[in-house]
Amino acid sequence: MRFDTIIANGTVVNANKTTKADVGIIGETIAQVDKGLAKKAAADGTRIIDATGCYVIPGGIDVHVHLALPFCGTTSSDDYNTGTRAAARGGVTSVIDFAIPYAGESLQQAVDNWMAKADGKACVDYTFHVALTDWKRHRGEMADLVKKGFPTFKQFMIYAREGWQADDAAIFGALEQVRDLNGMLLIHAESSRVLDELIERHHNEDEMRKLGAQLHGITRPNFVEAEAIQRAVTWAEATGGRLYIVHMSTAEGTDIIRAAHKRGLDNVFAETCAQYLVLDDSLFAEPDGHLYACCPQIKKKSDQKRLWKGLASDTVCVVSTDTCTFTREQKAMWQGDWTKIPMGLPGLETLLPIVYTHGVQKGKLTMQEFVDKVSHSPAKIMGLGDRKGAIKKGYDADIAILHPKHRIEVKPSEMETNADWSPYEGWKLAGFSRTTLSRGRVIVDDYKFCGQNGWGKWLRRESAGVV
Ligand code: URP
Ligand code: ZN
Ligand code: ZN
């Protein structure tokens, strides 16, 4: 067999197996994984990428990003150009964004809007979850969207201000529908009534002057998330619909998911995000503490510990980023009032480095568990498991080559993201991608982006939550 590219001499890490092998690629696809491929190909002009001393892993799959999202009175400032360049540099080769209908729009209109954002810009493959923001209208449109390759839907328990909020009846109904459509419902779980009450109680000049951005943490205690997760799990148990809790940030949430699994519920999934594993709410007391405001807010060190354990035990099955980048200038819109901070963090470029450095290097995850949580499980759960998330014959040649020890200091000015700051600024992280391939094409070489806008393709999916 003649290959176009061979990745030689690396350690190939899949979620279930680690082997010393070469990876032979023909066109966009992995054609063979075996020892000695490079030796045999020596004279026939094949491109050989030497991975000696490196891990060769399936490209990361970030199933939770918001690129160019109108939100909190502004628009998130990583779009499909900078966002997917950042993804590539971080070793992420597929992203799933959220198509959110504006008032009065159909689900199809939302998808069309998001397709237009990605078209000609995306450097890695992409697709969308579709948000149900007007239940009476959108309930009748879900079946059509599944037929068109969009089996994952999203509801928010909060964000009345944005016009996105779903009530319990809508969530219950949506779970029934995804059950019947072979799809899955993603939920942003926070208890809106209690959250609004806490915000109102603290929204006064005195406290804002004294506590500033710390009020973001004070008004979002753990029970705001935990109660909401419990409620969503209850509806999933009652309906049998597949439920995926996004950006879970608390120890209590993790315990609720664990208890659900112990009761035998195999239709309940939870992801956490890199920021909840390594950042804590003491940051809100820093002079630029408002930069760290995201939703849900970052919690305590004890929550981090429980989330890492949840990952290692498969209670939590995915690490994503919830990338929703706002620049310093955008964050400055708060002017001392925490309810006006654009909520969200940059993250695509640092997902793999954070989980590798703080998970694998610190002994909290094995290398295979790392690959499972950032690539294999997200692919499988989101309906991409037949072509993404593994280094395997017939799969897309989406590959990241990581040096186990090479550390790079996080410096926003040297990154692909449009963010002019990073929660991890100054951190020295291993796990950046030395070489990234997207469907066989090298898009990062020697840690530098060398891909092309428009290379990324939309990913059709048939079902979700089937594991
Ligand atoms: O802070 C965040 N997460 N912004 C994006 C919106 C969301 O809830 O995911
Ligand atoms: Zn959310
Ligand atoms: Zn989000």
Side-chain angles (χ1 to χ4, degrees):
M1 203 175 328
R2 191 196 169 279
F3 303 105
D4 297 317
T5 305
I6 295 174
I7 301 173
N9 308 317
T11 302
V12 175
V13 186
N14 276 313
N16 62 350
K17 201 173 172 195
T18 302
T19 42
K20 287 256 180 216
D22 296 347
V23 181
I25 297 164
I26 300 177
E28 301 190 351
T29 309
I30 297 171
Q32 202 176 346
V33 183
D34 211 343
K35 288 191 199 329
L37 300 183
K39 253 189 217 153
K40 282 186 217 151
D44 62 8
T46 302
R47 177 178 190 172
I48 307 285
I49 299 175
D50 184 24
T52 303
C54 291
Y55 294 121
V56 179
I57 68 167
I61 299 180
D62 190 344
V63 302
H64 189 155
V65 305
H66 302 280
L67 302 177
L69 173 70
F71 185 52
C72 296
T74 181
T75 298
S76 66
S77 73
D78 269 317
D79 65 2
Y80 273 83
N81 175 18
T82 62
T84 59
R85 289 167 74 105
R89 184 159 176 268
V92 169
T93 49
S94 305
V95 297
I96 312 188
D97 197 339
F98 294 79
I100 306 180
Y102 299 103
E105 282 187 346
S106 65
L107 300 184
Q108 184 61 54
Q109 281 168 314
V111 165
D112 292 345
N113 289 340
W114 256 261
M115 285 287 199
K117 288 179 205 249
D119 191 37
K121 280 192 175 175
C123 308
V124 301
D125 292 351
Y126 59 91
T127 187
F128 321 114
H129 313 289
V130 186
L132 308 170
T133 50
D134 178 351
W135 178 237
K136 286 210 172 80
R137 172 174 187 165
H138 293 154
R139 63 193 304 173
E141 301 172 358
M142 290 168 71
D144 184 45
L145 266 285
V146 174
K147 271 195 217 127
K148 288 176 173 161
F150 297 94
T152 46
F153 298 91
K154 170 79 178 287
Q155 284 175 325
F156 301 88
M157 287 186 177
I158 62 164
Y159 299 142
R161 189 170 67 178
E162 311 286 342
W164 297 350
Q165 189 171 24
D167 65 17
D168 281 7
I171 294 167
F172 184 76
L175 281 163
E176 288 178 319
Q177 287 242 47
V178 293
R179 175 198 60 208
D180 299 342
L181 294 170
N182 210 12
M184 186 164 71
L185 182 67
L186 282 62
I187 287 285
H188 175 133
E190 286 189 289
S191 196
S192 70
R193 291 269 171 88
V194 175
L195 179 57
D196 289 346
E197 166 67 18
L198 292 174
I199 289 172
E200 202 182 312
R201 278 189 202 174
H202 293 280
H203 201 228
N204 59 71
E205 291 295 330
D206 262 10
E207 282 192 82
M208 287 201 278
R209 208 174 317 105
K210 251 187 265 156
L211 294 165
Q214 290 175 80
L215 287 166
H216 188 60
I218 290 165
T219 52
R220 284 183 139 86
N222 285 26
F223 59 76
V224 165
E225 178 177 276
E227 182 277 336
I229 291 177
Q230 183 61 71
R231 198 149 27 97
V233 169
T234 302
W235 306 141
E237 190 161 11
T239 59
R242 295 182 197 122
L243 168 72
Y244 179 96
I245 301 292
V246 298
H247 53 44
M248 191 168 69
S249 63
T250 56
E252 289 85 342
T254 315
D255 289 340
I256 291 165
I257 301 296
R258 183 160 179 268
H261 290 168
K262 272 197 149 176
R263 287 203 300 285
L265 294 192
D266 58 3
N267 58 330
V268 173
F269 307 91
E271 74 173 13
T272 190
C273 304
Q275 56 269 30
Y276 303 117
L277 294 167
V278 294
L279 302 178
D280 70 79
D281 62 4
S282 63
L283 287 164
F284 294 129
E286 301 279 316
D288 57 1
H290 67 287
L291 293 177
Y292 298 90
C294 54
C295 183
Q297 59 122 344
I298 48 178
K299 302 291 194 305
K300 309 251 179 267
K301 285 209 172 359
S302 49
D303 294 292
Q304 295 172 8
K305 227 172 156 181
R306 185 72 190 86
L307 288 166
W308 279 117
K309 282 203 173 144
L311 282 168
S313 63
D314 270 345
T315 301
V316 185
C317 52
V318 170
V319 189
S320 69
T321 61
D322 197 5
T323 291
C324 192
T325 301
F326 297 107
T327 60
R328 282 180 180 273
E329 190 184 346
Q330 289 175 301
K331 289 276 184 180
M333 284 167 57
W334 84 306
Q335 301 203 331
D337 177 348
W338 91 95
T339 65
K340 298 200 170 83
I341 311 174
M343 293 184 289
L345 305 175
L348 262 165
E349 205 156 345
T350 46
L351 168 63
L352 268 55
I354 288 286
V355 183
Y356 177 76
T357 306
H358 291 268
V360 178
Q361 289 197 322
K362 292 194 174 160
K364 295 185 180 105
L365 295 180
T366 66
M367 192 62 201
Q368 286 181 201
E369 286 166 345
F370 164 68
V371 168
D372 185 45
K373 297 322 187 238
V374 299
S375 180
H376 183 71
S377 277
K380 203 170 57 174
I381 291 165
M382 293 303 168
L384 295 167
D386 57 344
R387 66 211 119 128
K388 308 276 190 195
I391 309 259
K392 188 172 165 184
K393 185 178 170 187
Y395 273 52
D396 286 353
D398 288 356
I399 294 171
I401 302 178
L402 313 184
H403 189 281
K405 296 221 173 88
H406 182 75
R407 288 193 177 229
I408 295 179
E409 183 175 336
V410 177
K411 288 186 193 157
S413 60
E414 293 173 8
M415 294 166 81
E416 294 294 339
T417 172
N418 197 41
D420 53 358
W421 72 285
S422 165
Y424 317 110
E425 201 157 334
W427 293 27
K428 292 193 177 70
L429 299 174
F432 279 101
S433 184
R434 191 203 76 184
T435 312
T436 308
L437 288 89
S438 164
R439 284 181 279 105
R441 180 188 179 133
V442 174
I443 58 168
V444 169
D445 186 23
D446 195 19
Y447 301 99
K448 286 184 197 70
F449 179 76
C450 59
Q452 189 195 319
N453 287 124
W455 169 255
K457 272 193 193 157
W458 171 67
L459 296 166
R460 185 187 176 87
R461 297 171 294 146
E462 305 301 326
S463 62
V466 182
V467 291

